[in-house]
Each structure stands twice: as C-alpha cells, then as structure tokens.
Amino acid sequence: MIHSIFFINNSGDIFLEKHYKRVIPKSICDYFFEEVTKNSSPENVPPIIQTPNHILISIYRAQMHFVAVCKSEVPPLFVIEFLHRLADIIKDYFDEVSETSIKDNVVIVYELLDEVLDNGFPLATESNILKELIRPPNLLRSLADTMTGRNSTVSATLPTGQLSNIPWRRSGVKYANNEAYFDIVEELDAIVDKFGGAVCAEVHGSIDCLIKLSGVPDLTLSFVNSRLIEDASLHPCVRHRRFEVERLLSFVPPDGGFRLMAYRASCHGNLPVPLDLRHTISFKQASGNSGHLELTVIPRPPSGRQLEDLVLTVPMPRAVSGASLVASAGKYSYDTASRTLVWTVGRLDSQKGAGSPTLCGTLVMQTGAPVPDCRPSILVSFSITGWTISGLKVNRLDLHGEKYKPFKGVKYVTKAGKLEFRT
C-alpha cells in the first residue's frame, strides 16, 4: 500500500524518509514541490498528486508535510487518516509535532515507523500499545543507554493487547484513583459579510478522552441531544451498530488519552456568532498619502461566559508599508514583511461594562503606489469555555463490568476555526 514516507519542512528540505518495499528516490518529491510553488499557502496543496508511476498523498501538520508514496491505487482517505494518526502518535510521544522534536528523537521515530506499518500496511496505530513496544523518551533511560551502549526503548515482550480481542487496550491495568475525563471541543468555520450576516457556517467537533480506569471497563456515554451529531468518525473501540441505532457511545476504552469521536454538528438556521465586528478600512484620505483603519469588537457571548484568547488578523495589501494605531485593549503589531496586522485583544468580560475594545489610527502607504482596490478580510480567533455552539451536552456516563465508582468530568470548549469577516 505505502511504499515510502517523506517528512518535508516549509523550506522544502526532506529531513526524514522511510522506505518499506524498496527505495524510491527523493526526486519523486519534485512533483510535490511543483504543486507547492503553484499555491500561495502550504495548506492549499492538493492532498492527492498523480504522477506517471506513483501517487503522492500528503497532509500538512505543524509546519510540516507528511508525504506517502504509493505505486498503485489505494483508498486516499485511508492513507490520509493514517498520516494524521502518525502525527498524533509523534505528538503523544514527544509532546509536540515539530522538526526539532523529530530530529532529537530520530531513533525512536524510525522504530515507530517500523511498528505502525508492516510491509507498507498499517499494523499498530494505538499509542498505548506502541508504548508497550517502544518506550517513550526518558532522561534517566537515555543516560543509562549512553553509558551502557544499549537500547532500552524497545521492549522484549509482545504487548498483551496484540494477543487479545481488544487490541487497543493493554491488560492488567490498575489505578489507585479511577478517573474518566471528556473534552468536547467545537470549532466554528464561518464567513460573515459586511452587513453582519453569515454567508456560510459549519461546526466541527471532537470528543477527546483521558481514561485512567482499572481492569476492563465497559463505558456507555449518552447525550441530551444526540441528533445534532452528523458525519461521525468513531474510534475503533466504539460499537458502531449501537451508535447507529441508539445514538450513544458504547465502548471499552484504550488506556490513557485518545480521540473518541470527531463529528460535524447539524446547523439549522443561523449559528450564534458570539461577537460582532464594526470596521472601517480606507486606503486614501483627502490629504496625504495615508489610509485609515477603525475596528470595534462587540462581544456577544452566551450568558455567564467570556470571550478568551481573542485575536484579529488583517492581511493588508502590499501598498501598506506600516501602521500607526491606538488600541483601547490589548496590543497590536504590524509585520512589514508579510503586510499583516495582528491585534491581540485577549480576554473580554462583557459584564464589566468597560465598553467595546477599539483599534483605530492611520495606515502608512508606499509613496507612488496605486490605491488598492481590494477589501481585506478580517480573520478572528477566540475560545469560550463551558459552552458548545451546537448545544451538544453529555447526559450521563455509565460504567459496566467493574465494581468501583470512578470520578468523572466533562469540559466544553468552543473555538473559532476559520472565521472570516468580510469588509
């Protein structure tokens, strides 16, 4: 299925490669680089690239491209999902997905690549199973390996989960404190026109879990309004048939952290965008070669909630060489190289009556440059804790198969995904 995997950074350097059936030259990536040069953003590179003799399937994560090379037709979504799973494994092992973390732990990365694919076919992709095979990096273990000249990261025994009918969970799990935590995170992707109406809107969500339960627990998670869930992507531990019939999640969980489900929430009518944006952007005044900008954020969070981590990004035309602005809240910066204005507002409390934060001032234009005829869009990011924009809520969590009573917790977070305000 997968003949080779290449890790490529934003500079176009192939800093790691792994071959399974036979060595494929790096020159195959020239087709990929051609597509990179055609697109303004690395996120816009086509995920599937057809070449005369190969198929290149790629994803873009953490300023890196993960490229899989296949010689025959394969289900592309299967390969894309595998590459995302590989990036998640690297993050779980090294706490971040970056070129630096991969280079610092290159031996462990190659050991993981040997285990996740068997002759090009996915084999073991569960982190808790892999951690029994290949131990995560540890400072004391690294010092001992350096002194003794041995490699203690690879276990000498086969993981118990590989021999059972529950391959995602190791046996003999015991905890003094049994806990189960669920994070329901939703992202709002929307385009808002200059009159404040939503041109299009979509909500994507996920349920991330941290399960530390002894034995072999059988959990059932039910929702108050499960019909809001559409296009669900379930973890292999979930009993799919029962979810389709009863709209609940019944599963024997892996040990530790994992993503239980990703979904798209149904949107009936307009979604409540938790803020309004008033904007005035002009690039030519009556006197002088300067423009004017004024942005005002009007927070409209749900009752009792607060907007946090609010950031506004405005990509300016090339004719704008600088900005002289005053912010009533937060701080701003202007990158002259990328012509990007970033206003970091931070946290907003609508109940304090402090007014709406405003950014206003002058835009410095290049001398002799023509007046831009385009209107820049404003990209907004934020987060709200304790609320989901779709209204999805957990009803209850039931435990079967074990006699203890675990501690349970659910956290709701709403974030801005690709939220764009047009001017």
Side-chain angles (χ1 to χ4, degrees):
M1 175 176 284
I2 298 176
H3 285 68
S4 299
I5 291 179
F6 295 96
F7 290 10
I8 305 173
N9 60 21
N10 269 345
S11 301
D13 299 325
I14 302 174
F15 63 92
L16 189 143
E17 58 184 288
K18 174 66 177 176
H19 306 279
Y20 292 94
K21 296 189 176 181
R22 66 177 183 179
V23 176
I24 295 180
K26 292 182 180 180
S27 59
I28 190 65
C29 294
D30 291 343
Y31 295 97
F32 177 78
F33 295 141
E34 289 179 5
E35 294 294 334
V36 173
T37 57
K38 294 178 183 178
N39 293 272
S40 58
S41 171
E43 296 180 348
N44 296 332
V45 176
I48 304 170
I49 301 173
Q50 182 78 46
T51 71
N53 299 313
H54 301 85
I55 301 172
L56 306 182
I57 302 176
S58 65
I59 66 168
Y60 184 71
R61 288 275 297 267
Q63 312 298 318
M64 291 185 299
H65 295 277
F66 295 75
V67 182
V69 182
C70 307
K71 291 198 67 176
S72 58
E73 289 190 6
V74 296
L77 291 179
F78 188 83
V79 179
I80 290 173
E81 176 64 23
F82 168 78
L83 293 176
H84 278 293
R85 184 67 64 88
L86 178 60
D88 292 338
I89 291 170
I90 293 174
K91 182 178 181 180
D92 190 26
Y93 262 74
F94 313 125
D95 296 329
E96 64 174 351
V97 185
S98 66
E99 181 181 355
T100 302
S101 65
I102 292 174
K103 287 182 176 179
D104 290 343
N105 302 277
V106 65
V107 174
I108 297 179
V109 172
Y110 271 112
E111 291 171 349
L112 289 172
L113 290 173
D114 280 331
E115 295 297 335
V116 296
L117 287 178
D118 180 19
N119 200 30
F121 289 86
L123 178 63
T125 58
E126 288 294 333
S127 291
N128 61 92
I129 297 299
L130 287 169
K131 286 178 181 179
E132 288 193 69
L133 279 168
I134 303 167
R135 300 183 181 93
N138 181 280
L139 179 59
L140 295 178
R141 189 183 304 122
S142 300
L143 293 175
D145 291 346
T146 303
M147 297 178 64
T148 60
R150 298 182 301 174
N151 182 9
S152 62
T153 60
V154 180
S155 175
T157 59
L158 188 68
T160 53
Q162 296 290 81
L163 304 176
S164 69
N165 59 351
I166 310 177
W168 53 84
R169 183 176 181 85
R170 60 190 177 94
S171 63
V173 181
K174 292 183 179 180
Y175 288 102
N177 297 318
N178 294 284
E179 303 168 332
Y181 300 102
F182 299 86
D183 290 345
I184 300 181
V185 181
E186 292 188 346
E187 291 189 354
L188 171 64
D189 296 341
I191 297 176
V192 181
D193 61 23
K194 61 181 181 180
F195 303 108
V199 177
C200 61
E202 204 169 48
V203 175
H204 300 273
S206 62
I207 302 178
D208 296 322
C209 308
L210 179 60
I211 306 295
K212 296 183 178 181
L213 300 177
S214 304
V216 185
D218 196 330
L219 301 178
T220 302
L221 184 69
S222 59
F223 303 94
V224 174
N225 38 12
S226 60
R227 294 299 172 183
L228 294 172
I229 300 174
E230 295 182 354
D231 299 334
S233 173
L234 305 174
H235 190 277
C237 69
V238 178
R239 298 178 177 95
H240 185 267
R241 178 62 180 172
R242 192 170 180 188
F243 173 77
E244 289 293 323
V245 175
E246 303 180 41
R247 307 299 290 178
L248 53 78
L249 300 177
S250 175
F251 58 100
V252 176
D255 180 42
F258 66 100
R259 175 156 293 180
L260 181 63
M261 180 178 68
Y263 63 92
R264 182 175 63 87
S266 60
C267 306
H268 301 293
N270 293 328
L271 287 170
V273 179
L275 60 90
D276 286 339
L277 188 60
R278 295 177 182 173
H279 42 74
T280 301
I281 302 177
S282 61
F283 298 112
K284 188 68 175 179
Q285 290 185 345
S287 61
N289 189 27
S290 62
H292 178 72
L293 178 142
E294 183 174 352
L295 300 178
T296 302
V297 179
I298 304 174
R300 300 187 186 279
S303 177
R305 308 299 176 188
Q306 294 177 340
L307 278 172
E308 300 177 347
D309 305 322
L310 178 61
V311 178
L312 283 74
T313 304
V314 187
M316 291 292 182
R318 300 297 298 178
V320 181
S321 60
S324 178
L325 307 171
V326 176
S328 64
K331 58 183 180 180
Y332 81 94
S333 63
Y334 187 81
D335 188 349
T336 56
S338 62
R339 299 293 199 271
T340 302
L341 172 66
V342 179
W343 181 21
T344 304
V345 182
R347 183 174 181 176
L348 286 182
D349 190 352
S350 59
Q351 297 180 350
K352 289 183 179 180
S356 302
T358 301
L359 177 70
C360 62
T362 302
L363 300 175
V364 181
M365 311 297 292
Q366 290 182 354
T367 303
V371 178
D373 57 357
C374 61
R375 309 293 296 179
S377 296
I378 303 172
L379 307 178
V380 179
S381 65
F382 64 86
S383 65
I384 301 176
T385 304
W387 175 70
T388 55
I389 193 168
S390 69
L392 183 68
K393 291 184 179 181
V394 171
N395 180 26
R396 58 183 297 172
L397 176 68
D398 296 319
L399 171 66
H400 309 280
E402 300 291 341
K403 297 181 179 180
Y404 55 80
K405 186 176 181 180
F407 180 82
K408 299 169 285 188
V410 180
K411 180 181 178 182
Y412 302 96
V413 178
T414 293
K415 297 181 178 180
K418 296 180 179 179
L419 179 57
E420 176 182 333
F421 285 78
R422 292 177 175 174
T423 60

